[in-house]
Amino acid sequence: EIMASDITVCHRPGCPVSWRPVICLEEKGLSGYNSKHFSAEELSAKPEDLLKINPRGQVPAFMHGDVIVNESIGICLYIENTFKNQGTKLLPDDPAKQALVFQRMMESSNINYLGAAVVAYVRKKPEDRDEEVLAEKGKALVKELHIWENYLAQNVEGPFITGKDFTLA
């Protein structure tokens, strides 16, 4: 394991986008990094220590020495490229396989968006909800999940979304 005390990652428990960088750090075998958890309530207050890393006060936020990266996929690509020869190889060398990993990484925003839309709507007061709107949001999410189920069903190389190896996707 490599000590990574000069790395700080800010994230929110329960937020998949926010946990991607943490998973990458763990897969790379990096230990001793500074992990800062922020609750949704804390994030709404825009804490000063988070604003120093990300002026939008959003997570994930990442700092490695003087390098700051504040978008989940960008952080993951930075970690993979910076620590390429350590831990799990998260990006294949083959350009076609890389393209598939990049495509699935970008496509995952569809699940995040549709899932968040359903959750946000369900959290509304019952009197403020329209069941037809909720049903439409649910149908859109189910349709997207079927696409991902098909990706997995068509994948003959292995158990992960892009094949036999765990990747950034």
Side-chain angles (χ1 to χ4, degrees):
E1 284 191 0
I2 306 295
M3 289 301 290
S5 58
D6 61 340
I7 292 176
T8 298
V9 61
C10 302
H11 52 93
R12 180 173 66 87
C15 176
V17 172
S18 175
W19 277 91
R20 279 182 190 154
V22 175
I23 293 168
C24 287
L25 289 168
E26 293 295 325
E27 286 294 323
K28 287 296 179 182
L30 300 170
S31 63
Y33 57 88
N34 301 298
S35 178
K36 294 187 178 184
H37 302 276
F38 291 94
S39 68
E41 294 78 26
E42 290 170 321
L43 289 172
S44 66
K46 306 289 186 198
E48 192 60 37
D49 54 340
L50 178 58
L51 289 171
K52 288 178 184 175
I53 300 173
N54 186 340
R56 290 186 179 96
Q58 298 171 336
V59 292
F62 176 89
M63 185 167 57
H64 178 216
D66 293 333
V67 175
I68 293 176
V69 186
N70 289 313
E71 290 295 328
S72 184
I73 291 173
I75 296 167
C76 294
L77 289 169
Y78 174 83
I79 292 168
E80 173 60 15
N81 285 311
T82 302
F83 303 102
K84 191 174 213 58
N85 297 320
Q86 294 169 214
T88 304
K89 184 180 181 92
L90 298 172
L91 195 57
D93 292 325
D94 178 80
K97 289 183 179 183
Q98 270 187 22
L100 181 60
V101 169
F102 291 144
Q103 179 178 331
R104 297 294 183 258
M105 288 172 69
M106 303 306 169
E107 282 181 302
S108 69
S109 66
N110 293 323
I111 291 175
N112 294 331
Y113 173 77
L114 294 169
V118 169
V119 170
Y121 204 79
V122 169
R123 287 185 174 165
K124 287 185 171 192
K125 294 178 186 175
E127 60 270 16
D128 295 337
R129 288 193 297 236
D130 178 333
E131 292 304 315
E132 286 182 30
V133 172
L134 180 58
E136 287 302 313
K137 290 178 182 297
K139 283 180 191 175
L141 178 58
V142 167
K143 183 178 177 183
E144 181 65 25
L145 291 171
H146 282 301
I147 290 170
W148 287 86
E149 288 291 333
N150 285 333
Y151 289 158
L152 288 168
Q154 295 168 5
N155 182 356
V156 295
E157 287 187 27
F160 298 105
I161 200 71
T162 58
K164 64 180 176 54
D165 298 317
F166 185 84
T167 67
L168 290 174

